[in-house]
Amino acid sequence: MDSSIKTLDELKEFLYRAMQLEHATIPPYLTALYSIKPGVNQDATQVLRVIVVEEMLHLTIAANILNAIGGKPDLVRPDFVARYPAALPDGETDFKVGIQAFGREALATFLKIERPAQRPDHLVGKDLIYRKTPPDITALASHPRHEDLHFYSIGEFYSAIAEGIKYLEAEAHEAGTTIFTGDRSRQITSEYYYSGGGELFPVTDLKSAQAAIELIIEQGEGDGGGIYDDDDHELAHYYRFEELVKGRYYQKGDQPGHPTGPHLQVDWEGAYPIKENLKVGDILEGSELREAATAFNTRYGEFLQLLTRAYNGQPNLLLEAVPMMFEFRNMILELVRNPLPGHPGKNGSPTYEIPGGIKQPAVARQAEVNA
Amino acid sequence: MNSRFEPFLGLSVELTAFSYFDLLGTGLAERYLATLDTVVGSEITDALLAAFTALPPPESEARIHAVRTTILGSELLGDVARALIKLWYSGTWFELSSAWTERFGPRPANTTFVVSPDAYIEGLLWKAIGAHPPGAKGQGFGSWAFPPKIPAPAPGPKPDLTPLPLVFKELDQRHDEISASTDAR
């Protein structure tokens, strides 16, 4: 099939999925970050903090692109928050990204999320990869029209978006119009987004849209497989995580996979032993832990509602979102420090089951796209 | 977790009027038990835990009375229990009074000290007053325009716990007595 984007509605749905994808990395990174015990793993804490903040930036950038073409960011759509573990593409197979404590296993997953994936020669020019995803699993970065067709990598998913924008804008241009018809006042700029992983610029035309997509790809995978971005000052996420695994920092001039900078210390046991992919239903009914996990989910749902309003014309509401995120830190810390009743040696965790978060049937989404 | 941890937590719940979840949520319970062992020694700590275990059943008048007489009112255990309350609330071990050390002997580690940087941050006092520890647990840029996000506990005592005012009343009384006796000397 032809996987390219041919209509504006389709492009909007792709951008919705880009927001879903960017958001999906936040709960795993955030949980791993706050699972780290106080006083240890300062390098890892710093790396995770920088990366999770940049993922929030990516979420906002995707919202800017969607707004630029007249779309409506919707973070409260029932399928917006992934059900963990969720499936992400990793070449010809997929892998599961879940909620777990900081440790070797979590880092292995994080490296897969950010891996600069280039197709091997024998697959170059081939189409999407067919892979059946069980109905209860959120398949991130899949094709909106065809649930079982997946991109080879996140980079490829974004390339499809970039090409779609270029194609549709050229088509519109020929007809004497543009796809960038969005209300400029809905753009989130650095005025409302202070110190959040990079500068936010308004997306108003093809050039700024392409720059926005490039920023997302470069911060994650690096610039064409290089370890730094194109300004040569910021290390890509993949290589930041790799520094932790290798116990050594990268420095200018290093080759991928061979950091030669100062050594760093990682305490692989220095995290609370949270139960992986915990669900509220697994927590003893009537316990304070269950109450706290539910309260967290409710608050997180309110946070997504606030973001939705902010991305739909009330950017000043983002200022209110900041203290809310710090509130999450306090709530998560309490959850991960409390033992999980009935699971000796395991602690609690946020579950990110957002009220109303039921997977929409693929058919309904397809109808939406065609409408 | 050893067999002393459970009674230690139970005692702490009773003394602080905060819940198990809140106390475990500080991440400091084990360290505070260790602090007791370090400062007053494991024998006195065990005596305190034994006094707690021997209390009449919860939610009875007799229990509240016994907490006052056998723990807070005990010459040996009272000051230690009050220091433990202050430890939970402030993250600081406050040196036991000279009256106590004269009676039961000095302890080398019995000085006023902050247990750890996170002990200051996780002090229950911040939760009790619904505020943030100054200089820590920041809420981010511009957040001072909004109310604090640490919820104060619901007004009124929790049903199955020793009412907080009682503990504080005891604390005040004891404090006055100690000051009076110290001043007299």
Side-chain angles (χ1 to χ4, degrees):
Chain A
M1 66 153 274
D2 182 7
S3 64
S4 59
I5 299 169
K6 289 285 190 294
T7 69
L8 196 58
D9 279 337
E10 216 179 334
L11 178 60
K12 286 177 186 169
E13 184 61 19
F14 262 86
L15 284 166
Y16 167 78
R17 293 202 164 212
M19 289 183 69
Q20 183 194 37
L21 169 67
E22 293 302 336
H23 173 269
T25 60
I26 293 172
Y29 290 164
L30 209 55
T31 312
L33 169 63
Y34 294 139
S35 75
I36 293 173
K37 288 182 176 174
V40 296
N41 283 326
Q42 275 161 17
D43 295 299
T45 300
Q46 184 58 17
V47 164
L48 276 165
R49 205 194 67 82
V50 165
I51 291 177
V52 78
V53 169
E54 286 184 357
E55 298 298 348
M56 292 172 190
L57 177 76
H58 298 174
L59 175 68
T60 310
I61 290 174
N64 269 356
I65 307 174
L66 183 54
N67 266 322
I69 58 161
K72 284 191 170 62
D74 184 1
L75 295 78
V76 290
R77 206 163 108 175
D79 59 353
F80 182 76
V81 179
R83 186 186 150 83
Y84 294 99
L88 263 175
D90 177 33
E92 287 174 83
T93 56
D94 63 0
F95 69 98
K96 302 282 189 295
V97 51
I99 307 296
Q100 56 186 328
F102 173 77
R104 286 186 194 278
E105 233 177 274
L107 265 185
T109 306
F110 298 168
L111 279 168
K112 281 185 182 170
I113 295 177
E114 310 284 353
R115 183 191 307 280
Q118 308 223 325
R119 284 186 180 230
D121 287 344
H122 72 280
L123 284 176
V124 170
K126 295 268 170 68
D127 221 320
L128 301 191
I129 291 152
Y130 178 83
R131 190 167 51 235
K132 193 99 190 125
T133 310
D136 57 332
I137 300 271
T138 312
L140 297 159
S142 58
H143 196 288
R145 257 184 292 132
H146 303 274
E147 284 292 283
D148 298 327
L149 288 178
H150 302 263
F151 288 90
Y152 188 82
S153 66
I154 295 171
E156 202 172 89
F157 171 77
Y158 275 110
S159 297
I161 294 178
E163 274 169 37
I165 292 174
K166 212 167 119 190
Y167 170 82
L168 291 170
E169 179 62 0
E171 201 185 53
H173 193 73
E174 268 176 40
T177 169
T178 174
I179 60 166
F180 295 97
T181 57
D183 181 351
R184 171 89 194 241
S185 70
R186 293 161 73 95
Q187 290 293 313
I188 311 289
T189 56
S190 289
E191 185 185 356
Y192 305 107
Y193 198 91
Y194 173 86
S195 189
E199 210 172 312
L200 260 177
F201 48 86
V203 176
T204 53
D205 54 15
L206 183 62
K207 200 167 161 246
S208 48
Q210 281 171 332
I213 291 174
E214 261 164 47
L215 176 64
I216 295 179
I217 296 177
E218 277 180 21
Q219 280 193 337
E221 306 181 355
D223 183 25
I227 57 177
Y228 287 94
D229 65 0
D230 64 348
D231 296 334
D232 220 29
H233 71 269
E234 198 178 37
L235 200 62
H237 294 182
Y238 179 81
Y239 299 102
R240 285 180 197 265
F241 284 137
E242 207 192 27
E243 286 178 329
L244 297 177
V245 175
K246 299 213 182 260
R248 219 165 165 172
Y249 284 108
Y250 275 104
Q251 56 187 358
K252 295 275 156 72
D254 280 351
Q255 290 303 307
H258 302 283
T260 63
H263 289 272
L264 60 87
Q265 287 297 322
V266 178
D267 178 354
W268 296 107
E269 306 303 314
Y272 294 102
I274 71 176
K275 181 162 162 40
E276 239 180 279
N277 300 314
L278 182 70
K279 305 286 171 230
V280 168
D282 302 335
I283 312 175
L284 183 69
E285 223 170 309
S287 66
E288 280 186 277
L289 184 66
R290 182 151 166 162
E291 240 174 72
T294 306
F296 175 83
N297 287 338
T298 305
R299 197 76 180 124
Y300 201 90
E302 288 167 2
F303 173 68
L304 293 179
Q305 281 173 19
L306 184 76
L307 286 189
T308 303
R309 284 163 61 208
Y311 292 156
N312 281 277
Q314 294 175 267
N316 57 320
L317 286 179
L318 280 181
L319 300 176
E320 226 170 295
V322 173
M324 241 169 150
M325 290 187 278
F326 286 97
E327 195 184 342
F328 293 150
R329 173 195 55 196
N330 300 342
M331 292 174 107
I332 296 175
L333 285 177
E334 287 195 325
L335 288 169
V336 303
R337 286 167 177 169
N338 265 275
L340 185 65
H343 295 82
K346 291 286 177 193
N347 281 14
S349 155
T351 70
Y352 303 97
E353 295 160 284
I354 306 311
I358 315 148
K359 189 173 176 173
Q360 251 186 315
V363 190
R365 269 200 301 262
Q366 202 173 322
E368 243 171 80
V369 170
N370 296 339
Chain B
M1 246 180 249
N2 57 38
S3 58
R4 301 162 81 229
F5 189 67
E6 199 56 45
F8 173 74
L9 261 187
L11 170 72
S12 298
V13 165
E14 200 116 347
L15 290 178
T16 62
F18 272 90
S19 70
Y20 282 90
F21 180 81
D22 288 325
L23 297 188
L24 290 167
T26 64
L28 290 156
E30 270 134 346
R31 243 176 308 162
Y32 285 167
L33 175 56
T35 302
L36 270 188
D37 281 336
T38 308
V39 179
V40 299
S42 54
E43 265 177 46
I44 293 179
T45 306
D46 283 340
L48 182 61
L49 299 181
F52 169 75
T53 313
L55 288 175
E59 287 173 69
S60 65
E61 273 296 313
R63 186 177 178 97
I64 296 173
H65 184 72
V67 168
R68 282 192 250 172
T69 51
T70 65
I71 297 179
L72 293 168
S74 153
E75 282 200 76
L76 174 67
L77 304 179
D79 278 5
V80 178
R82 275 179 286 276
L84 179 60
I85 296 171
K86 289 186 274 185
L87 179 62
W88 273 112
Y89 271 82
S90 68
T92 303
W93 177 268
F94 286 91
E95 187 179 337
L96 294 169
S97 68
S98 52
W100 192 91
T101 48
E102 274 168 30
R103 172 93 198 261
F104 301 107
R107 299 287 190 283
N110 179 33
T111 55
T112 297
F113 64 96
V114 182
V115 168
S116 68
D118 48 313
Y120 160 74
I121 296 168
E122 300 296 343
L124 297 178
L125 93 92
W126 310 116
K127 261 198 162 181
I129 64 174
H132 293 263
K137 275 197 180 175
Q139 300 183 86
F141 175 76
S143 57
W144 49 84
F146 306 102
K149 296 283 182 188
I150 292 185
K158 295 190 183 178
D160 56 339
L161 304 169
T162 309
L164 193 61
L166 264 185
V167 177
F168 279 135
K169 208 172 144 199
E170 283 287 341
L171 251 168
D172 287 346
Q173 274 173 6
R174 287 289 302 175
H175 183 77
D176 291 345
E177 285 166 26
I178 291 164
S179 313
S181 66
T182 321
D183 292 346
R185 234 168 266 149

